Amino acid sequence: MAEPIRLKTPLTDNDVEGLNMGDRVLINGIIYTGRDAAHKRLYDLLNEGKELPFDIRGQIIYYVGPTPAKPGQVFGSAGPTTSYRMDAYAPALIEKGLKGMIGKGMRSDAVKEAMKKGKAIYFAATGGAGALLAKKVKKAEVVAYEDLGPEAIRRLEVEDLPVIVINDVRGNDLYIEGEKRYRKG
Amino acid sequence: MREIDVKLITEKVRSLCIEANTDLGEDVLEAFDRAIQQEESPLGVEILKELKENARIAREEKVAICQDTGFAVVFVEWGQDVHLIGGGLKEAVDEGVRRGYREGYLRKSICHPFTRANTGDNTPAILHTEIVPGDRVKITVAPKGGGSENMSRVVMLTPSDGVEGMKRYVVQRVKESGSNPCPPTIVGVGIGGTFEMAALLAKKSLLRPLGTKNPDSDLNRLEMEILEEINRLGIGPQGLGGRTTSLAVHILMMPCHIASFPLAVNIQCHAQRHKEVVI
């Protein structure tokens, strides 16, 4: 297997265009967390024509709701949640400049189309590997919606967070291609 | 008559919540090892190794295996010769969940269905009780994650669908779930009973240790056949393509109404967590 590609956030169009379905990537820098409830709030803000609580341009949102950090831990267990629940909100965020999403599970056609148009990438992290992924988080702070508890938006500083490119900007989908390659009969 | 104080129930439930969420069973780890031997996809092998490493970290550092520490599903088999003193069983179990999730740094994932407001302490628990002969109490805590639960279904097949219809439905359910429920999964199948009993059978079937045979030889053969079909789908670890889509299929069955053929498929992610204690 090819060596993983190191990427530094925020992402540029160039970064994104250089990625291909199946690439293993190590993400470094700042990323933001957000899942169901936070996405609904971001979406409502956009519909009301209001500013988002952070500058989303070039950023990556990680679909995760961590466990509380134990004393001595930077961050609690933090694997991805299933992404399709964010499908209704993702295209609007991509239109505002979001460049990457980390989650697990297949995206809708509308999201895939928005990714092609807005040049954004969908990465998967290993679902259920929460203890391992937590170790890649070096700093964490809540930036919005503290009342949502595990669903609050957090700014994370990550070092070599391991992900895989599922959807690239050319419309390829590793879930579809991977299954095809190994299907029997 | 033997007496048990509710405080003991609370204490046991508390410990089981933490243990189940941080210490993945040996049966699951052995199933990962078998899968690593059989997996054809290099990326799939990498994922399976990552899951083993994740379980090691969680066990050693006593942190949650997965951030989704689940709905606390609690099975209690209550010996009919035991008298509970000092309070109610439901309250005692909920208190155990409350403490376990707080003191174990586990995620609170339970909310109001409409407003989505979090209850803040992971209660209420889902409590299944059964009165059994004897003077023992067995408590099993099986935290259940939302991602795989969302892919589960109950269906009322018609009797003419037969065994083949049942197999088709289960395989199709796994196919449609794709990468969502965190494969490799364990597929719990409940057959017969009524609408709600089929679902409970499916859930209970997941408590059987991986790598053990179904005591009913016909069902055991069916489990093997369905597993083989599932693992031909190509979904693989995390849905990235490969042989290991499911680690096992478990079936529990009981008689049903002459008009009915209830079937439930309860999908379980690879973080198959459950711990039990006998008091």
Side-chain angles (χ1 to χ4, degrees):
Chain A
M1 248 184 311
E3 280 300 300
I5 300 163
R6 271 211 170 73
L7 262 193
K8 180 105 184 68
T9 63
L11 301 182
T12 63
D13 278 358
N14 247 342
D15 291 331
V16 164
E17 280 167 352
L19 295 173
N20 290 300
M21 170 188 80
D23 284 347
R24 293 193 301 153
V25 174
L26 298 171
I27 296 175
N28 287 272
I30 301 295
I31 63 171
Y32 291 85
T33 73
R35 48 172 294 159
D36 305 61
H39 270 79
K40 169 132 186 28
R41 289 195 189 176
L42 295 178
Y43 187 74
D44 289 347
L45 283 179
L46 288 180
N47 280 342
E48 292 160 15
K50 291 181 179 157
E51 286 285 305
L52 297 179
F54 64 98
D55 186 354
I56 201 168
R57 287 169 302 174
Q59 301 302 335
I60 295 177
I61 294 183
Y62 184 12
Y63 300 151
V64 59
T67 59
K70 280 178 80 165
Q73 233 186 350
V74 174
F75 207 51
S77 293
T81 194
T82 320
S83 306
Y84 71 88
R85 298 190 313 269
M86 271 55 77
D87 282 355
Y89 311 121
L93 297 176
I94 293 169
E95 205 176 297
K96 285 285 170 193
L98 180 70
K99 281 286 166 214
M101 297 156 283
I102 307 170
K104 67 177 171 86
M106 199 171 322
R107 307 312 299 266
S108 69
D109 288 343
V111 176
K112 291 182 200 175
E113 210 38 57
M115 280 191 271
K116 274 201 276 184
K117 207 172 137 210
K119 291 198 177 21
I121 289 279
Y122 174 50
F123 303 98
T126 299
L132 189 144
L133 292 166
K135 290 192 168 297
K136 312 296 179 188
V137 180
K138 301 303 167 189
K139 262 189 207 162
E141 60 171 334
V142 173
V143 293
Y145 313 142
E146 188 142 29
D147 62 297
L148 292 179
E151 296 202 62
I153 295 184
R154 291 169 169 85
R155 182 190 288 118
L156 307 183
E157 194 182 315
V158 297
E159 214 174 271
D160 286 350
L161 182 77
V163 296
I164 295 164
V165 175
I166 300 292
N167 297 102
D168 59 29
V169 293
R170 286 165 286 281
N172 296 307
D173 189 321
L174 182 59
Y175 289 134
I176 293 173
E177 295 308 316
E179 187 178 330
K180 240 189 245 170
R181 197 175 308 152
Y182 289 94
R183 188 187 302 149
K184 283 185 179 171
Chain B
M1 190 177 239
R2 186 175 173 215
E3 290 186 338
I4 291 181
D5 195 293
V6 283
K7 288 199 190 85
L8 184 61
I9 304 290
T10 294
E11 177 49 36
K12 293 295 181 191
V13 169
R14 174 205 168 271
S15 304
L16 289 171
C17 286
I18 297 174
E19 220 183 294
N21 271 303
T22 55
D23 183 16
L24 196 60
E26 283 301 323
D27 61 326
V28 184
L29 294 171
E30 283 164 17
F32 288 162
D33 282 333
R34 285 194 295 275
I36 288 170
Q37 296 305 315
Q38 289 161 11
E39 182 53 61
E40 293 166 21
S41 151
L43 193 52
V45 170
E46 286 301 306
I47 300 275
L48 290 163
K49 286 182 178 169
E50 212 175 293
L51 297 181
K52 273 188 71 177
E53 173 65 5
N54 182 67
R56 185 192 64 77
I57 294 170
R59 184 183 283 182
E60 280 178 12
E61 301 184 9
K62 295 194 167 39
V63 296
I65 298 157
C66 174
Q67 75 292 336
D68 186 353
T69 49
F71 219 131
V73 181
V74 181
F75 294 91
V76 174
E77 286 177 27
W78 195 271
Q80 60 194 18
D81 298 332
V82 183
H83 181 204
L84 181 66
I85 55 166
L89 178 64
K90 175 81 174 88
E91 292 69 26
V93 167
D94 276 348
E95 183 56 21
V97 168
R98 195 171 287 125
R99 284 194 205 161
Y101 276 69
R102 188 176 60 224
E103 292 163 23
Y105 297 91
L106 307 176
R107 197 180 75 185
K108 289 77 182 172
S109 312
I110 308 307
C111 71
H112 187 283
F114 298 157
T115 67
R116 313 306 292 176
N118 201 299
T119 64
D121 59 7
N122 220 58
T123 67
I126 301 293
L127 176 59
H128 297 293
T129 50
E130 201 179 330
I131 304 292
V132 297
D135 65 351
R136 301 279 176 101
V137 172
K138 182 176 170 187
I139 306 175
T140 305
V141 174
K144 187 65 167 75
S148 57
E149 197 74 349
N150 281 346
M151 295 300 116
S152 304
R153 298 287 186 273
V154 178
V155 61
M156 304 303 276
L157 297 177
T158 55
S160 65
D161 287 322
V163 180
E164 287 310 309
M166 181 277 291
K167 285 168 73 173
R168 258 200 313 278
Y169 187 88
V170 176
V171 174
Q172 188 61 21
R173 183 82 295 270
V174 174
K175 184 175 166 54
E176 283 171 17
S177 301
S179 52
N180 289 338
C182 275
T185 54
I186 298 103
V187 183
V189 180
I191 304 170
T194 48
F195 177 77
E196 84 285 7
M197 185 52 84
L200 186 56
L201 289 172
K203 173 105 353 163
K204 275 188 176 171
S205 77
L206 296 170
L207 299 177
R208 198 177 100 211
L210 291 179
T212 60
K213 283 188 172 168
N214 193 313
D216 179 319
S217 61
D218 289 337
L219 293 184
N220 193 64
R221 184 176 42 77
L222 259 181
E223 288 179 357
M224 292 299 158
E225 287 171 12
I226 297 172
L227 181 65
E228 200 185 316
E229 268 191 63
I230 287 172
N231 285 337
R232 291 164 72 92
L233 292 172
I235 296 168
Q238 291 295 308
L240 305 174
R243 288 273 74 79
T244 324
T245 301
S246 293
L247 297 169
V249 174
H250 287 180
I251 302 177
L252 274 178
M253 185 164 84
M254 70 177 290
C256 59
H257 190 280
I258 51 173
S260 305
F261 186 4
L263 169 65
V265 184
N266 196 190
I267 311 261
Q268 167 67 53
C269 64
H270 56 74
Q272 203 232 28
R273 299 156 288 185
H274 55 91
K275 293 286 176 192
E276 59 183 54
V277 69
V278 177
I279 306 173

